[in-house]
Amino acid sequence: MTRLLPLLTLLAALAFAASPLTTQGFNGFTADQFPIPQVDPPVQPAGYAFAIWGVIYLWLILGAGFGLWKRAHDPDWQRMRPPLLASLAIGAAWIPVANAAPVAATAMIWAMLAGAVAALVRSGPRDPWWQRAPVALYAGWLTAAASVALGLVAAGHGLLNAQAAALAALALALACALAVILRGPRAPAYGAAVAWALGGVIVSNLAPLNLPVLALAGAGLLLTGVLTLRRG
């Protein structure tokens, strides 16, 4: 298994990146997927923010490829591979589930987040641009995406109204992000991904103006940015 892990991780990264091409793709949960339709929900970032997936896919593939080529048996790399492999394997199957069952997809994306954060925590300082940075970017975006999905499900099933769900999801994303930034390894790409997501939420709530969501997202953007820069 030790010899197989680097190859399986690369294959999982490739399958994950190929999933939008081999399925019907995913452009966010649709309003009619919920008992209470979610039309222009305040918790969801502006559409442009999802372009980060292209960077995440490519960087994960390049990192896994470098790891297979140059660091197949390196202990730092080996420690992070099992949780990363699990996260990517779930991610490769996520899009069809998301298009059919938002609740199940939400549970899956939280499992993806758990694996990504575990991989980030286990990553070593060697080869930061190939090992830690791509996983950090992936984990950072998943921190926001998992919280957004939970907020949409909560509002879509009437557990909270759309505004309360957005504020609760943002608070949850910030709590998770701050825990990783403060207690995890130094990984500026993690904070950058969270900040990118919060920026997308700000843009989506400018018109019509949603002051409570803007205030929380803006404060979170400032806080994550400052703490990420301080940690270096």
Side-chain angles (χ1 to χ4, degrees):
M1 187 63 179
T2 300
R3 294 178 179 273
L4 197 57
L5 262 178
L7 176 59
L8 290 176
T9 304
L10 175 59
L11 292 176
L14 289 167
F16 184 41
S19 61
L21 306 176
T22 57
T23 65
Q24 64 271 52
F26 182 74
N27 296 311
F29 295 128
T30 59
D32 60 0
Q33 283 185 283
F34 301 100
I36 301 173
Q38 297 300 293
V39 180
D40 195 21
V43 72
Q44 189 152 288
Y48 78 86
F50 294 89
I52 195 175
W53 274 118
V55 180
I56 292 170
Y57 289 142
L58 179 60
W59 211 350
L60 285 171
I61 290 170
L62 292 176
F66 177 87
L68 174 62
W69 179 39
K70 290 289 190 180
R71 304 286 186 262
H73 306 293
D74 186 281
D76 278 348
W77 284 77
Q78 287 291 72
R79 278 193 296 270
M80 66 172 277
R81 282 178 175 133
L84 179 60
L85 174 59
S87 179
L88 296 175
I90 296 170
W94 187 80
I95 289 179
V97 178
N99 284 319
V103 174
T106 299
M108 288 174 67
I109 202 169
W110 276 95
M112 291 164 63
L113 171 61
V117 170
L120 174 60
V121 169
R122 293 184 182 190
S123 66
R126 188 180 188 185
D127 310 311
W129 288 100
W130 297 109
Q131 182 186 13
R132 181 172 289 172
V135 175
L137 192 73
Y138 173 53
W141 179 256
L142 284 180
T143 299
S147 300
V148 167
L150 193 59
L152 286 168
V153 167
H157 288 268
L159 301 177
L160 295 170
N161 63 43
Q163 180 79 343
L167 293 172
L170 284 171
L172 177 60
L174 287 172
C176 294
L178 293 178
V180 173
I181 292 170
L182 293 173
R183 300 182 65 86
R186 293 181 180 179
Y190 178 89
V194 174
W196 176 262
L198 291 171
V201 171
I202 289 171
V203 170
S204 72
N205 283 277
L206 289 174
L209 196 64
N210 188 334
L211 288 177
V213 171
L214 287 174
L216 183 55
L221 177 60
L222 179 62
L223 186 57
T224 55
V226 168
L227 291 176
T228 298
L229 289 173
R230 285 185 64 182
R231 291 215 65 193

